[in-house]
Amino acid sequence: MRSWSTRSPAPGASPEPRGGGLGGGRLRLLQARARLALRSFRSGMAVFLESRLGLLSLLTIGVFALMAVAHPILMGTVWDADTYDPVTGYAFDATEQPAPPSWKHPLGTDPLGRDVLSQLLSSTRSEFALGITAALVTVTIATTVGAVSAYYGGLVDSFFMRFADLVIALPSISLLIVLSALFDLSLFYLALVIGVLGGFGGTAIVLKSQALSIKVKPFIEAARMAGGGQFQIIFVHIVPNLLPLSLLYMMFTVTSAIFAEAVLSFLGLLDIRMSWGIMIHTANAGGYLLSGTKYWWLVFPAGASITLLCSAFYLAGRALDEVVNPRLSRRDG
Amino acid sequence: MASYLARRIAQMALTLFLILTVTFVLVQAQPGDYASFYALNPDLPPDVKEQMRATFGLDRPVWQQYLIHMRNTVTGNFGVSFGHFPRPVLEVLAERLPRTIVLFGTATAASVYIGFLLGKAIAWRRGGLLEYTATISGTVLFTAFTPAFALTMIWLFAFRLGWLPVGKFLDPLVWRDADVTSTSVFSFMLLTAVAFVGFAALVLFISGRGDRIGRRWPATLALAAGALVAALAWTLSGIGPLALDILKHMVLPVATLTLISFAGTMLLTRNSMLETVREDYVTAARAKGLPDGQVRDRHAARNALLPVVTSLIYSLIFALDGSVIVESVFSWPGIGLTLLEAVRSEDLPLVMGAIVFIGFLSLLSHLIVDVLYAYLDPRIRYQ
């Protein structure tokens, strides 16, 4: 609550009281907000942890995060770069490549003599980077688009919503394949493209309908009476209330980004050093996939990682849905 | 209905226009330009280069090229493919289109039907063994890495057990003496399917007119007769064995696609059913003493169908988009594999033609589902 009762709500008055009330009042306000945030975080966490799948998926994500952290540490201490580098290393100790799992190479080596465990761990880091970048881009765009089109309505609204319909109808994998033909897609650009496609697509529609229900709440009316400007209302009052739902859609974007990367790498279309998709691509190109279970370490770790991390983010999103979705939630939002 | 249809077609035309613009901008934005791409390609004879230049207007300003691009697309003139040299892009795509439609139409129909049946069953009897098995296996298959799963299917059923062919869409030994092309066989198959669906819709419509519950045998009989006539026609036409060969090659990709995607429809049907079973008319139907199966199928499931129809759009686009993956793993030479091969060999005209085709197909399926939905739910029509 800014001090709107003392100010005259003259139309056209300076909308931003920032800096005006700095001091004790401002501090107390921040404290109160922090307490509120903490309390809602705790109760949200309790609902989240009630679902077994949510807890399990959080644990899975944690294990993968540890794997991502472990790679640089292992490279710095135990593993020497000549043997264990995920791209340029070569296992001189093995007599034939791909070598089966041994003490030196817990997951064996690939057809080019590179350590599979090292590849797996170093890919984890880039998958996280890709997923989180794409999710941030998606959520930034979708939240802004959703809030703006809910607030203004009319022409802006129908433009963005028709555009979202168009983006949904686009076959995204085919589009990414075409893009990879025309440009050198690196990990960052891939994340950007996936993020933009997600942000203007279905996520924007969902966030807009949520923003519509926020727009009619009394505190928006109060902010407008207090002389709040359009940007202030959108970004200070509507957007923060959208953030829980945005977080949910971040989870789903991570899943689709990792999946898209794996598919494109599997088809050999990306300009990336190492990833789970490239590991499967290498095994497939060498013809090791149809040998069934004999060379299991070439395919199984990477394939299982893709499935596990994708479904972990997906299920975490589902569990989060119970917390932030007012239709499913039992507490008063 | 007519005005709704007109509005939707206008929207679709606008969307197609946007897709065409985007493809044009993409080509313009790539490093290097289209003109030098043609000029530097040593495989093209000079007269073809000249013809290309005229077709795409490569020596004119960009805005004129844009107009030419639009006109070319509308008239279906995508130029000549590099990879399949003297053949025009349109001819290559037209040859491959029926293969994609047959494969993915079958797979989508199968996955939606199975998903609907399962979803209906698990919503009706909650907490059973079926619910847990179906939900867990469905989710695992849904999130599985598609290429790896498809390769596992090939390894298991084609390689290890040897029940089904490994890949491709026909067996050359069967087709050696055939005097028809595979494209025409595919077209006939598609035609048969469309005719049968139309016939079935007509029969069900007529039998629904005189709606007498419990008397379904005339409709069943008519459908069986229709199927018999179709089978007889195929046997007598002499290309029956060829079609059978194609069907044998279709089993594995269709099964893979169905297993991957049935979970989406199943979970959606389940959620939608859980809402409808609480409605008053379901209680009323039960109170009338109707049999359990009839309450489920005719009262609850019918009304739970609406969101499933909406999701059909996403299933179709998902299938079309996944066609690149599945077609490449199964070496099924449809539109998706064509796109991938064109991208790998930098066959730009074919790439552009294929993406426009895929975009057009997804819009068309969007339109068909929308019309179906408006037919099922009158509220949409009168908005």
Side-chain angles (χ1 to χ4, degrees), chain B residues 328-383:
Chain B
S328 79
V329 174
F330 286 98
S331 323
W332 183 275
I335 296 277
L337 193 60
T338 308
L339 175 69
L340 193 66
E341 279 172 355
V343 163
R344 282 192 179 143
S345 58
E346 304 209 326
D347 186 350
L348 261 187
L350 194 55
V351 171
M352 285 303 137
I355 189 75
V356 169
F357 249 62
I358 291 179
F360 182 70
L361 271 183
S362 74
L363 282 180
L364 196 66
S365 48
H366 211 315
L367 181 73
I368 291 173
V369 174
D370 269 357
V371 169
L372 192 65
Y373 193 70
Y375 172 73
L376 289 175
D377 188 351
R379 284 173 299 183
I380 302 290
R381 262 176 282 167
Y382 302 124
Q383 248 178 25

Side-chain angles (χ1 to χ4, degrees), chain A residues 2 15-18 143-145 147-149 151-152 156 160 220 223-224 227-240:
Chain A
R2 293 218 158 79
E16 182 55 286
R18 181 166 295 162
T143 313
T144 315
V145 166
V148 164
S149 48
Y151 183 80
Y152 290 109
V156 179
F160 278 122
I220 299 293
R224 200 175 295 146
Q230 295 170 344
F231 279 98
Q232 196 195 357
I233 291 178
I234 291 176
F235 289 103
V236 179
H237 297 278
I238 296 182
V239 166

Side-chain angles (χ1 to χ4, degrees), chain B residues 169-183 185-186 241-243 245-246:
Chain B
F169 67 112
L170 44 77
D171 184 357
L173 290 179
V174 178
W175 287 75
R176 197 168 46 190
D177 303 326
D179 50 358
V180 288
T181 59
S182 64
T183 315
V185 175
F186 269 113
L242 302 179
D245 184 46
I246 289 177

